[in-house]
Amino acid sequence: MIMIAPRDEPAPGNIKVTRWDWISLALQTLISDGIESVRVLPLGQKLGVSRSSFYWYFDSRQDLLDQLLAHWRDTNTKAIVERAQRPAESIIMGVMNVFECWADERLFDPRLDFAIREWARRSDDVRRAIDQADNDRLGAIRDMYRRHGYDEEDAFIRARVLYYMQIGYYVLDLKEPVEARVSHLAAYLRSFTGQEPSDADVAHFMRFIAAR
């Protein structure tokens, strides 16, 4: 039997519905209603297209679910890892690079992260993906501390404190505005680095906040 690979271009007769339209709606549904609601027929009804449109782009529902996980890895995890690996003049600047993910949901979507973690309760494969992502994120942050002279254990613990604190912040669903949180920026930096941030350090991050 000849297998036809899923396509990226719009399906004939469904010019306004693209592969990304399916993925985007599936992500929205995952976040709002959970993984059990990510089904081909209801998604197609919402998009106003037939099942044939779906199979133009995807081999199966599992293929779509795999794409959701890939998107999550390529956004949430990649953002943290890239910023932790970014060259920085000091550990304070390095931590502020990572802080960008917490301050801008276009870089790190906490609702998507929470939805994936909920999905992991029902899937061993997704649980393994979560574990790998957490290890990758923590490893990148740990290595950032190591590059700035912290010993192995200190770097490991500081990475855990920084990362787990933020994940816990999302799990608790705290409603603190970003502006209120960054008003404590100097104290956060002092806590996470053991160093005293300068006024210039704080001003640097405040410019990022203003430019979002």
Side-chain angles (χ1 to χ4, degrees):
M1 181 174 64
I2 298 174
M3 300 298 294
I4 301 176
R7 298 161 171 82
D8 288 330
E9 67 270 17
N14 295 308
I15 301 302
K16 293 183 180 179
V17 177
T18 66
R19 181 173 180 272
W20 175 246
D21 290 328
W22 282 97
I23 293 174
S24 180
L25 181 57
L27 287 168
Q28 295 171 34
T29 304
L30 172 64
I31 290 169
S32 62
D33 301 320
I35 192 61
E36 291 304 318
S37 295
V38 181
R39 300 286 176 180
V40 177
L41 184 57
L43 293 178
Q45 290 171 339
K46 289 180 180 179
L47 290 169
V49 297
S50 66
R51 292 164 62 94
S52 62
S53 169
F54 176 84
Y55 290 107
W56 179 263
Y57 300 117
F58 306 98
D59 288 331
S60 61
R61 176 177 181 262
Q62 186 58 52
D63 186 16
L64 173 62
L65 300 186
D66 290 344
Q67 296 308 310
L68 301 187
L69 274 180
H71 173 80
W72 165 72
R73 282 191 296 265
D74 290 343
T75 52
N76 281 18
T77 296
K78 185 177 181 180
I80 294 173
V81 171
E82 284 188 346
R83 277 156 183 78
Q85 292 175 342
R86 185 184 294 171
E89 294 179 359
S90 67
I91 186 57
I92 286 175
M93 293 298 293
V95 169
M96 288 195 296
N97 286 340
V98 176
F99 276 3
E100 291 180 6
C101 298
W102 315 150
D104 189 344
E105 292 188 3
R106 293 171 299 180
L107 301 175
F108 181 94
D109 185 340
R111 297 171 304 161
L112 176 58
D113 223 62
F114 187 76
I116 297 292
R117 291 178 189 279
E118 281 296 304
W119 180 6
R121 296 176 184 271
R122 299 165 175 79
S123 168
D124 291 340
D125 287 342
V126 178
R127 178 71 260 175
R128 284 189 287 271
I130 283 281
D131 291 342
Q132 184 62 57
D134 284 336
N135 287 337
D136 290 345
R137 298 170 187 183
L138 279 167
I141 297 170
R142 178 204 61 211
D143 291 347
M144 175 187 72
Y145 279 106
R146 293 286 288 136
R147 290 196 303 275
H148 289 279
Y150 294 80
D151 67 33
E152 184 67 35
E153 184 177 30
D154 199 11
F156 173 68
I157 295 302
R158 287 181 184 274
R160 295 183 89 181
V161 170
L162 192 161
Y163 179 65
Y164 290 156
M165 183 279 294
Q166 187 61 37
I167 296 301
Y169 202 91
Y170 294 138
V171 170
L172 291 172
D173 196 26
L174 298 178
K175 301 300 185 182
E176 184 180 39
V178 170
E179 291 74 16
R181 197 172 185 194
V182 298
S183 69
H184 304 295
L185 177 61
Y188 277 118
L189 291 170
R190 194 180 303 118
S191 176
F192 290 135
T193 67
Q195 299 181 13
E196 188 66 32
S198 67
D199 290 343
D201 291 329
V202 174
H204 172 85
F205 194 76
M206 296 306 291
R207 286 193 294 273
F208 171 81
I209 294 295
R212 288 177 306 152

